[in-house]
Amino acid sequence: SADFDWSEISPTIFGAVFESTLNPETRRSGGMHYTSLENIHKVIDPLFLGALEKELAEICAVTVVKTKEKRLKAFQEKLSSLTFLDPACGSGNFLTETYLSLRKLENIVFTELAHHQISFVFESDSPIKVSLNQFYGIEINDFAVTVARTALWIAESQMIKATEDIIKVHIDFLPLKSYAHVTEGNALRMDWETVVPKDKLNYIMGNPPFVGYSNQSSEQKSDMLKIFDGVKSAGKLDYVCAWYKKAADMMKLSSIKTAYVSTNSITQGEQVAILWKPLFESGIHINFGVQTFRWDSEATEKAAVHCVIVGFSRQKTEHDLNPYLLKAPTVFIESRSKPICDIPTMQKGSIPVDDGNLIIEEEDYSQFIKSEPNSQKYIKKLLGAEEYLHNKNRYCLWLVDADPNELQKMPKVLERIKNVREFRLNSKKEATRKYADNPTRFMEIRQPNSDYILVPSHSSENRKYIPIGFLDKNIISTNANLIIPNASIYHFGILTSNVHMAWMRAVCGRLKSDYRYSKDIVYNNFPWCNPTDNQKQKIEQTAQAILDARAEYPDCSLADLYGEKMYLYPKLLTAHQNNDRAVMQAYGFTTKMTESECVAELMKLYQDKVDDIKG
């Protein structure tokens, strides 16, 4: 009712209360992630609010009263002319906080006018010009629509009270008179212009749903394919990408600006080229961005999501970023099956597909050897990323050249082989069933005949260097690692350097925010330097010094050596720093370069290599 005191209720907390009423499954399937005030401002401040605040501060500093009055009133008109759309508005937090922010600016206008004792001439029944009619939302959940409208009404009521306190005049207000334009529906199946015409719209903003491509429902997949009709590999895009495409289409021939929060996957790895290449070709520019950070909400059950913020429009600015959110040339690092430089091929490790039967865990090893002593010559050390990084022991039966007569005499081994065969025969995959006739072997064998470099596929973001290593050809690597057969100490030196790590951090995919190294994006696209003989020799020496330094800490795992406390191992850290300098010298880079400047140079080199390949 009109007598209810809304002043103590925070509109955004009101939205958070709604979040907590939804069960986690509803939230997960809808890709819902709600938003703290701090994070809302990471979107709206660079999009429009920062510039408005600066403009008002400049007006407030004017000393000529008549000029100031004229400019204050013009500024108030400007505030009331802006129109906003949140096409995935949830409980309305972005709309509500934007409305509150604009009304606070308008209240500063009133305060300044009151300070100069300028009388308020009411053209209608209120001097307030900023209204809920400037705010539009689309939301698929019917209850959320009601919550969003109510949150906006609460905000309106509170701001009217704040204005009354400034101008000392009562303003009639009944909250439910105002209309909040929040439309219920699936934003991906709607023409947004039916909600708000684009010639009336200034800003699109929000926090669209995050659903990875592998978790999308058939309905969501169908929406995606319609929106990205004709875009190659669109099936690999996250759900949030559809909101980018819809906004970009609406922005054609207009000065609308957009900023969204998104999962960081859209500015990393394979998705970058799929999403951004067509958008850039259509005239989109990224005007600002916030690199990966952890996104928290006001809800009690916080969803830990790793996000970026991307602000884009069809206007070019001097601060434009490339699709990796770097101040660097606009390049698209596309998936590539072969390296762009003349270097050894990288491949995945071997894959058993054996239901664990060819693998011998550390705790079973002694007992197995005891009960089947003749098997020992066929047992090799097996390394996944976990074993490699944490010095754990695991073993496997490597029966590639095993003598069938010997196998017949080892019942424990035979039993395991029989289990592998049955497991593969019962598989739903035809390719796996075919391998049932080869039960003594890993299904995919990629073990090299030479020693090799190993790169773990996943690695913590807290490491400055991914712990890359040289391994003996008799140690079997699983597909949790990538391997480079026939690689030299020089290759190791380049790959373990800060130059390569900077490239990896910029272009690799992420798991949450941890590194996900890939051969097709990171390794095959990396532009290698052309060192002089002296430079190459120097890199070989500094690379060897890294391996020597590691050997001085025999009781430490690579996870220990390369953790956040790498400074506890000064010999290793110094060895890496010397190697970094040697590699940077070979690239012609100075040690004063920042990481992003280094990546910008690498992206230029990459573009040159790609142009050479195209000829």
Side-chain angles (χ1 to χ4, degrees):
S1 89
D3 301 324
F4 184 81
D5 181 8
W6 299 86
S7 62
E8 296 304 312
I9 298 173
S10 156
T12 48
I13 298 294
F14 181 80
V17 170
F18 153 69
E19 301 169 32
S20 58
T21 65
L22 285 179
N23 72 51
E25 185 44 47
T26 304
R27 286 168 54 190
R28 204 164 29 252
S29 62
M32 297 176 179
H33 292 281
Y34 299 97
T35 320
S36 69
L37 284 183
E38 181 196 351
N39 285 332
I40 290 170
H41 279 275
K42 283 180 185 163
V43 175
I44 67 175
D45 289 4
L47 183 61
F48 57 85
L49 191 58
L52 289 172
E53 287 171 342
K54 189 179 169 199
E55 185 181 344
L56 181 55
E58 284 167 4
I59 296 170
C60 291
V62 172
T63 51
V64 180
V65 175
K66 280 246 180 280
T67 308
K68 188 173 189 176
E69 178 190 354
K70 191 177 169 190
R71 287 185 64 185
L72 282 168
K73 288 181 173 174
F75 181 77
Q76 187 190 9
E77 288 294 342
K78 178 179 180 173
L79 292 180
S80 68
S81 72
L82 300 174
T83 307
F84 304 85
L85 168 67
D86 182 345
C89 74
S91 50
N93 283 2
F94 273 85
L95 296 174
T96 304
E97 185 55 24
T98 299
Y99 170 77
L100 288 168
S101 298
L102 259 58
R103 283 287 286 108
K104 282 171 188 168
L105 293 179
E106 188 175 30
N107 278 349
I108 293 171
V109 170
F110 291 139
T111 305
E112 286 292 314
L113 292 171
H115 176 69
H116 293 293
Q117 297 176 332
I118 295 162
S119 61
F120 297 97
V121 180
F122 288 26
E123 289 165 16
S124 58
D125 56 356
S126 166
I128 298 167
K129 293 192 185 299
V130 173
S131 83
L132 294 187
N133 288 328
Q134 295 166 239
F135 298 86
Y136 294 81
I138 304 171
E139 172 52 40
I140 198 163
N141 180 299
D142 56 349
F143 182 40
V145 170
T146 306
V147 174
R149 288 176 183 159
T150 308
L152 283 161
W153 289 324
I154 295 170
E156 185 180 35
S157 161
Q158 289 175 353
M159 292 315 296
I160 284 179
K161 179 77 179 68
T163 303
E164 284 180 343
D165 292 344
I166 296 164
I167 65 172
K168 313 297 185 207
V169 174
H170 174 67
I171 301 164
D172 282 334
F173 173 71
L174 180 64
L176 304 191
K177 267 183 188 168
S178 305
Y179 185 67
H181 305 285
V182 182
T183 303
E184 185 187 329
N186 179 341
L188 300 188
R189 295 185 188 174
M190 292 166 67
D191 175 358
W192 293 358
E193 284 213 67
T194 61
V195 176
V196 52
K198 77 176 183 185
D199 56 7
K200 184 180 174 181
L201 185 62
N202 300 94
Y203 299 103
I204 301 171
M205 63 196 179
N207 180 9
F210 307 160
V211 186
Y213 67 86
S214 53
N215 298 325
Q216 288 165 22
S217 66
S218 53
E219 221 172 278
Q220 288 167 334
K221 276 192 192 304
S222 144
D223 288 348
M224 289 288 288
L225 291 172
K226 268 192 199 121
I227 286 165
F228 287 99
D229 185 30
V231 174
K232 196 179 160 208
S233 305
K236 292 180 178 175
L237 291 173
D238 285 353
Y239 196 45
V240 72
C241 295
W243 273 262
Y244 279 81
K245 179 73 167 66
K246 290 276 285 187
D249 289 348
M250 192 177 192
M251 291 155 75
K252 276 179 189 158
L253 305 174
S254 83
S255 56
I256 297 167
K257 291 180 176 168
T258 300
Y260 287 142
V261 184
S262 310
T263 36
N264 57 5
S265 52
I266 67 156
T267 58
Q268 296 160 350
E270 200 175 2
Q271 294 199 48
V272 174
I274 304 169
L275 170 64
W276 289 106
K277 199 172 183 186
L279 291 188
F280 270 56
E281 284 168 355
S282 77
I284 287 293
H285 298 276
I286 295 179
N287 306 135
F288 69 87
V290 178
Q291 289 274 13
T292 299
F293 66 100
R294 198 183 152 101
W295 182 261
D296 292 324
S297 82
E298 296 286 13
T300 47
E301 188 201 316
K302 288 190 175 185
V305 187
H306 291 83
C307 296
V308 290
I309 291 168
V310 186
F312 59 104
S313 71
R314 293 186 176 274
Q315 285 79 52
K316 195 168 172 45
T317 74
E318 59 184 278
H319 304 295
D320 283 356
L321 302 173
N322 78 3
Y324 299 90
L325 300 188
L326 295 165
K327 190 88 179 124
T330 295
V331 297
F332 298 98
I333 316 292
E334 298 186 63
S335 189
R336 187 179 293 275
S337 57
K338 292 192 176 101
I340 57 171
C341 297
D342 184 15
I343 49 168
T345 303
M346 176 181 265
Q347 61 198 44
K348 278 184 179 170
S350 301
I351 310 178
V353 193
D354 65 334
D355 199 26
N357 287 290
L358 295 174
I359 292 167
I360 301 167
E361 300 297 344
E362 183 174 20
E363 57 270 25
D364 305 327
Y365 179 73
S366 306
Q367 186 54 44
F368 192 83
I369 297 287
K370 210 174 184 179
S371 60
E372 200 72 278
N374 294 333
S375 68
Q376 191 156 10
K377 70 175 188 180
Y378 294 119
I379 295 175
K380 292 196 175 186
K381 210 168 175 184
L382 180 74
L383 285 186
E386 179 75 10
E387 291 76 34
Y388 169 70
L389 292 169
H390 296 274
N391 268 7
K392 293 184 177 176
N393 289 320
R394 211 173 179 208
Y395 306 89
C396 67
L397 287 164
W398 194 253
L399 306 169
V400 175
D401 298 315
D403 180 339
N405 292 324
E406 284 188 41
L407 293 179
Q408 293 281 13
K409 296 168 190 161
M410 293 188 270
K412 294 270 184 207
V413 173
L414 280 179
E415 186 189 347
R416 284 177 174 246
I417 293 170
K418 180 171 161 283
N419 291 344
V420 173
R421 186 168 187 275
E422 282 175 11
F423 173 71
R424 289 179 184 170
L425 277 174
N426 291 322
S427 171
K428 289 178 181 171
K429 293 181 181 172
E430 189 190 340
T432 307
R433 290 197 299 273
K434 276 184 183 170
Y435 272 87
D437 290 338
N438 261 324
T440 58
R441 299 164 60 98
F442 276 34
M443 190 166 131
E444 292 184 30
I445 292 182
R446 304 201 186 94
Q447 187 63 16
N449 299 319
S450 66
D451 292 351
Y452 58 95
I453 284 177
L454 180 147
V455 182
S457 296
H458 295 107
S459 186
S460 165
E461 62 164 334
N462 298 322
R463 297 188 178 118
K464 187 178 178 194
Y465 305 94
I466 291 178
I468 293 170
F470 257 113
L471 288 187
D472 182 287
K473 63 183 177 188
N474 290 308
I475 297 174
I476 309 301
S477 170
T478 74
N479 62 316
N481 306 308
L482 295 151
I483 61 173
I484 312 168
N486 306 309
S488 68
I489 191 80
Y490 164 72
H491 296 120
F492 172 75
I494 298 283
L495 292 174
T496 201
S497 72
N498 60 348
V499 174
H500 183 65
M501 293 300 151
W503 171 264
M504 178 278 300
R505 271 189 277 278
V507 307
C508 76
R510 300 272 177 144
L511 194 65
K512 293 190 175 169
S513 58
D514 287 344
Y515 309 133
R516 188 163 57 189
Y517 194 103
S518 72
K519 72 179 180 70
D520 293 353
I521 295 286
V522 182
Y523 182 79
N524 288 347
N525 286 305
F526 179 62
W528 287 64
C529 55
N530 296 308
T532 63
D533 289 347
N534 278 349
Q535 286 171 338
K536 187 173 181 183
Q537 203 176 350
K538 179 71 177 159
I539 291 166
E540 288 167 349
Q541 286 165 1
T542 55
Q544 185 57 52
I546 290 172
L547 297 176
D548 295 344
R550 283 183 193 173
E552 294 205 28
Y553 307 103
D555 300 330
C556 298
S557 70
L558 288 166
D560 296 330
L561 296 175
Y562 287 88
E564 288 181 72
K565 294 180 182 153
M566 194 176 175
Y567 54 78
L568 294 177
Y569 309 96
K571 285 181 180 169
L572 180 61
L573 190 55
T574 302
H576 268 285
Q577 287 164 344
N578 291 337
N579 184 66
D580 292 344
R581 275 194 287 275
V583 172
M584 289 185 88
Q585 206 170 4
Y587 273 92
F589 296 169
T590 74
T591 48
K592 288 179 182 164
M593 276 175 115
T594 63
E595 182 157 312
S596 51
E597 284 168 344
C598 172
V599 174
E601 288 303 315
L602 290 171
M603 286 185 167
K604 283 181 199 161
L605 290 173
Y606 162 80
Q607 197 58 59
D608 292 344
K609 295 271 183 198
V610 171
D611 292 343
D612 287 348
I613 291 166
K614 287 178 182 165

